Amino acid sequence: MLQTAAVTAAFNLFCSPSGSALLHPKQALAASGPVLPTPEVQAALNAALSKSIGKAKAPVVLRLAFHDAGSFSTSDGTGGLNASIQFELERPENFGLKRGWRTIEEVAKNLKGTAAEGVVSRADLVALAGAQAVAVCGGPRIAVPIGRVDASGPDPEGRLPGMEASAVQIKANFADKGLDVREMVALLGSHTIGSKGFGAPDVFDNAYFVELLKKPWLNKDDSMASMIGLPSDHVLPDDEECLPYIKEFAADQDAF
């Protein structure tokens, strides 16, 4: 199991509930802020998550969590990981995420009659599913606080960086979510799982950063090279702020 410090910190920051106003009703009376599940609740969650999320579903549920959380903006405090993604599945950037949401509903169904029933919201389950996706692919096991309130409608559009975004635009986008450049680069390392060509699709490691430094998409002799990553990945190693962190994580998997 990897002890990847940077991505753990970035995940918790990106997917955290912020403040008592976001507490789920059953937690609000007992706590002044987000809380970790009790051992009994955690055991029920672990069983349900393990039953529904294996390596095959890991990429889609991790992407679901990031797209849900990615609507947050520090400029007005709106958005964030609040299960609004269920109302946003027809947006072009969320193509393919219906399967991920079905998995969340499956986990919720598996919690009926357990200690976790009525304690966690759908938003909590999205965050927990993202952490499960990282762990099942060999990444760190991330402790996820609960206490999120589910949104009653969609969050504003246009808050995720586009596939053709420049490094400057990507950095500005993540800065508006409260992440610095190192945290942003670590979080983007989640592209290591899935079908974008950064190492094995079901192994959570630092292959993303290793490949970014190689820039395989520039290989004109390989007709498939341009399919590795997205244009928004390709711009990162050419950015003077991103490059030191890419090198750091490529050289030291435990730092990632």
Side-chain angles (χ1 to χ4, degrees), residues 121-135:
S121 64
R122 291 296 192 276
D124 288 329
L125 291 181
V126 173
L128 289 158
Q132 171 70 10
V134 171

Side-chain angles (χ1 to χ4, degrees), residues 126-174:
V126 173
L128 289 158
Q132 171 70 10
V134 171
V136 78
C137 289
R141 187 161 290 280
I142 302 169
V144 178
I146 59 176
R148 299 164 183 80
V149 169
D150 292 338
S152 58
D155 282 337
E157 296 189 56
R159 290 190 170 178
L160 290 172
M163 292 190 298
E164 302 287 341
S166 68
V168 171
Q169 291 170 324
I170 296 168
K171 288 185 294 184
N173 184 280
F174 277 89

Side-chain angles (χ1 to χ4, degrees), residues 166-167 170-171 184-185 188 191 208 212 217 231-243 246:
S166 68
I170 296 168
K171 288 185 294 184
M184 178 198 81
V185 172
L188 291 175
H191 288 178
Y208 175 75
L212 284 184
W217 51 87
S232 55
D233 294 310
H234 300 172
V235 299
L236 299 179
D238 293 326
D239 181 80
E240 63 181 14
E241 286 189 280
C242 295
L243 183 58
I246 295 172

Side-chain angles (χ1 to χ4, degrees), residues 41-60:
V41 170
Q42 189 66 66
L45 289 169
N46 289 346
L49 290 163
S50 296
K51 182 177 180 180
S52 296
I53 302 171
K55 287 187 174 184
K57 290 184 180 178
V60 72

Side-chain angles (χ1 to χ4, degrees), residues 4-5 69 77 82 88 103 120 148 178 181 202 206 229 231 239 241-242:
T4 50
N82 54 15
E88 302 158 5
T103 301
V120 291
R148 299 164 183 80
V181 176
D202 59 358
N206 65 341
D239 181 80
E241 286 189 280
C242 295

Side-chain angles (χ1 to χ4, degrees), residues 6-18 66 69 72 74 80-81 142-143 145 148 174-175 177-180 182-184 187:
V7 74
T8 298
F11 182 94
N12 276 327
L13 179 61
F14 195 57
C15 297
S16 66
S18 54
F66 284 177
F72 180 68
T74 58
L81 206 160
I142 302 169
R148 299 164 183 80
F174 277 89
K177 304 183 197 310
L179 275 70
D180 63 27
R182 187 175 190 270
E183 291 162 340
M184 178 198 81
L187 200 63

Side-chain angles (χ1 to χ4, degrees), residues 199-211:
D202 59 358
V203 176
F204 195 94
D205 58 16
N206 65 341
Y208 175 75
F209 306 108
V210 173
E211 292 302 313

